Amino acid sequence: MIVPRDPHERTMKQATAIAHPNIALVKYWGKSDVEQNLPAVGSLSITLDGLTTTTRVRFDESLTADRFLFAGGEAPGMAGRVTACLGDFRHRVGATAYAEVESDNNFPTAAGLASSASGFAALVVAADAALGAGLHPGELAEIARRASGSAARSIFGGFVELSLVDGGRGIETRQILEPAAWPLAVVVAVTDSGPKAVGSTDGMLLTERTSPYYPAWVASSPADLAEAHSAVERRDFEALAAVSESSCLKMHSVMLSARPALVYWNGTTVDCIHLLRGLRAVGVPVFFTIDAGPQVKAICLPEALERVGRELAGVPGVERVLVSGLGGGARPVAG
Ligand code: PMV
């Protein structure tokens, strides 16, 4: 019996995935291999649940190129990196069809909120589900990592560690603690929702080339990573607070000492730092971290969330605060 070919068969290879941004507590800044996008240091992060990227990937043999739509419109600035990531994915699974990708975020893009992390994590998980490729999370993290170093961490939920292996020639990303095992809360104080001035790759290369402190930054990272890992295992908030703030300020010190200097902060960023240090000094369980942008992320125990949110919202110049708990890794969803 001849079974008629389903006319929609070609367009059936589609799937939707969601992923959440992650926030590094021990920071990644610097590359040991630009071509391979290999980080010079390991990192440790928490994956959020309140902020979400949703991405639909549709592989279609009739397409002659990949197509990328962000928030319903063309996004020429991002399309090249999306195509490169899809190319990597196709190469890994032996696929040939081009894809149409539609993506959107429910939070401000490109403002130091790790939108590239959730973006590339959602992309590879949706591509994997669309083709039924069944890659292992570690393999998905590896593909996402080549597009954006921090994206490897958003494949996983909760507390995540990205470690250098093989003498720095490879990486391994894994969850070290489930989100429910230590449900920290996060308040993001948005101090400027415009796009950042210098992207992370350009910023890292400039820092490596020009900051006299860069070698010390790289050399001191493994100890920070070990200290943070141990603090997470022991659920020791004070210890995690101390090492996280130190890692953040060391990263910003190498940025500030680059030539020309990379100053990602604004005045409100500094005011938020002082507020949060003051709160911790009087016993409120909260600490700050800041990425390649002016937003301040406050990490706190759940009982301090209401106060931390209220106080940060009251800092002049804070445009708004976003509140989040810890969430799961990137995953396919219906849609
Ligand atoms: O993954 P990228 O290339 O966007 O770099 C991320 C760098 C920081 O956010 C500043 C630190 C980190 O570990 O996420």
Side-chain angles (χ1 to χ4, degrees), residues 3-225:
V3 180
R5 188 183 163 102
D6 178 347
H8 298 297
E9 190 185 27
R10 262 193 353 205
T11 57
M12 299 282 275
K13 291 182 173 173
Q14 68 170 52
T16 302
I18 61 168
H20 306 296
N22 68 78
I23 294 177
L25 305 182
V26 175
K27 302 294 190 187
Y28 147 53
W29 194 255
K31 299 180 196 282
S32 63
D33 184 328
V34 181
E35 193 86 342
Q36 298 293 318
N37 202 31
L38 271 176
V41 292
S43 51
L44 188 149
S45 62
I46 46 177
T47 303
L48 306 184
D49 70 352
L51 316 173
T52 304
T53 297
T54 304
T55 300
R56 188 172 71 97
V57 175
R58 182 173 65 86
F59 286 96
D60 186 336
E61 278 150 27
S62 68
L63 289 173
T64 53
D66 291 321
R67 184 148 185 251
F68 178 60
L69 295 175
F70 182 76
E74 302 285 338
M78 284 295 288
R81 288 175 73 191
V82 170
T83 301
C85 183
L86 282 169
D88 240 17
F89 180 82
R90 278 187 289 259
H91 181 71
R92 183 69 159 250
V93 303
T96 51
Y98 288 110
E100 187 179 80
V101 177
E102 287 175 71
S103 189
D104 208 351
N105 291 340
N106 72 350
F107 60 95
T109 304
L113 279 172
S115 54
S116 65
S118 51
F120 287 108
L123 177 67
V124 296
V125 169
D128 182 69
L131 294 181
L135 293 185
H136 185 269
E139 295 174 288
L140 295 171
E142 183 59 17
I143 299 170
R145 193 267 302 157
R146 270 189 241 122
S148 163
S150 54
R153 302 186 309 235
S154 276
I155 295 290
F156 301 91
F159 295 78
V160 180
E161 185 167 349
L162 185 154
S163 344
L164 304 182
V165 294
D166 234 358
R169 283 187 300 278
I171 61 134
E172 197 177 88
T173 314
R174 66 191 176 96
Q175 181 183 67
I176 54 172
L177 198 65
E178 296 269 358
W182 197 19
L184 302 182
V186 177
V187 181
V188 180
V190 179
T191 68
D192 183 351
S193 47
K196 63 188 165 203
V198 182
S200 54
T201 295
D202 289 344
M204 289 182 201
L205 298 182
L206 173 72
T207 306
E208 183 183 342
R209 264 201 331 272
T210 61
S211 169
Y213 306 140
Y214 182 78
W217 156 251
V218 173
S220 67
S221 168
D224 288 348
L225 212 49

